[in-house]
Amino acid sequence: MRIILASGSPRRRELMQQMGLNFEVDANTSFAEIVPDGADPFDVPSIFAEGKAEGFHRPLKEDEVLVSADTIVICDGKILGKPHTPQVARDMLEQLSGKTHHVVSAVCVRTSDKCLLESDTATVHFKTLTNKEIDYYIEHCSPLDKAGAYGIQEWIGLVGITHIEGSFYTIMGLPTHLLYSLLQKI
């Protein structure tokens, strides 16, 4: 089977490479990431991952497997998506500082005749971050392309995360254990 990753995320590419998967990247989808009114925040990554797969720009061939995914951060009941400006990144990091939050990642595996979907939730505990630490991270890392404005594998994760419950890879953006299981079912 030819695997297609329907994501431009460098972290997802890295994780799939580490899993030893041969794949190509094609993130062309017609799906618009708009949270439906009244949606439970914990369901949003599944809605988005499945939407990206269903909105793939062309029919899949019989020998193709499409992998799509989505990740969100939930803090105080609110979804923290990707910040669009350094100021929004700062606001998000200040909101996460000294608190516990949830990271939900969903993965969808689709073929020409099947669609399998799973999600996973991890809990992350942040220490209280100083303004200097937040400034340093925003200045030296890339918070704008990450849900919640941070990457667990980056500097802020190394110095700011005190404890996690759940999968590190779910927090990184791809629940690899679920992807492996879904690929075995295909």
Side-chain angles (χ1 to χ4, degrees):
M1 300 289 283
R2 283 183 46 227
I3 299 173
I4 302 167
L5 174 61
S7 172
S9 165
R11 290 158 299 283
R12 291 187 182 115
R13 282 196 305 268
E14 176 187 346
L15 291 174
M16 286 181 62
Q17 287 167 347
Q18 288 177 7
M19 291 177 73
L21 299 173
N22 293 318
F23 62 94
E24 61 189 74
V25 175
D26 184 347
N28 191 351
T29 182
S30 62
F31 180 73
E33 293 185 17
I34 300 168
V35 177
D37 289 339
D40 183 327
F42 288 86
D43 293 337
V44 171
S46 292
I47 293 167
F48 284 7
E50 187 173 30
K52 291 173 190 178
E54 294 298 328
F56 192 63
H57 67 98
R58 63 172 176 79
L60 291 173
K61 298 174 184 167
E62 285 188 23
D63 67 339
E64 293 178 322
V65 176
L66 183 71
V67 175
S68 60
D70 196 75
T71 300
I72 64 162
V73 171
I74 302 169
C75 185
D76 297 331
K78 296 178 188 167
I79 295 173
L80 302 182
K82 295 177 185 175
H84 298 291
T85 67
Q87 182 57 52
V88 173
R90 165 174 279 297
D91 294 344
M92 287 183 182
L93 292 169
E94 286 175 352
Q95 185 175 354
L96 295 170
S97 177
K99 292 184 182 169
T100 298
H101 65 274
H102 302 286
V103 179
V104 184
S105 288
V107 61
C108 183
V109 175
R110 185 174 159 249
T111 64
S112 61
D113 64 345
K114 284 185 197 170
C115 187
L116 304 174
L117 177 68
E118 294 279 344
S119 73
D120 191 48
T121 301
T123 303
V124 180
H125 304 264
F126 256 108
K127 76 175 191 110
T128 300
L129 302 167
T130 66
N131 286 333
K132 283 185 180 183
E133 289 167 335
I134 292 172
D135 289 342
Y136 179 86
Y137 182 69
I138 291 171
E139 211 172 292
H140 293 93
C141 298
S142 303
L144 302 186
D145 72 335
K146 295 169 188 76
Y150 79 92
I152 189 172
Q153 73 283 5
E154 295 178 337
W155 185 85
I156 202 88
L158 297 170
V159 304
I161 294 174
T162 60
H163 181 71
I164 67 170
E165 299 159 49
S167 168
F168 178 90
Y169 303 107
T170 290
I171 300 165
M172 200 167 159
L174 183 66
T176 52
H177 62 291
L178 295 180
L179 173 58
Y180 182 77
S181 174
L182 292 175
L183 288 173
Q184 285 184 313
K185 291 176 184 177
I186 297 291

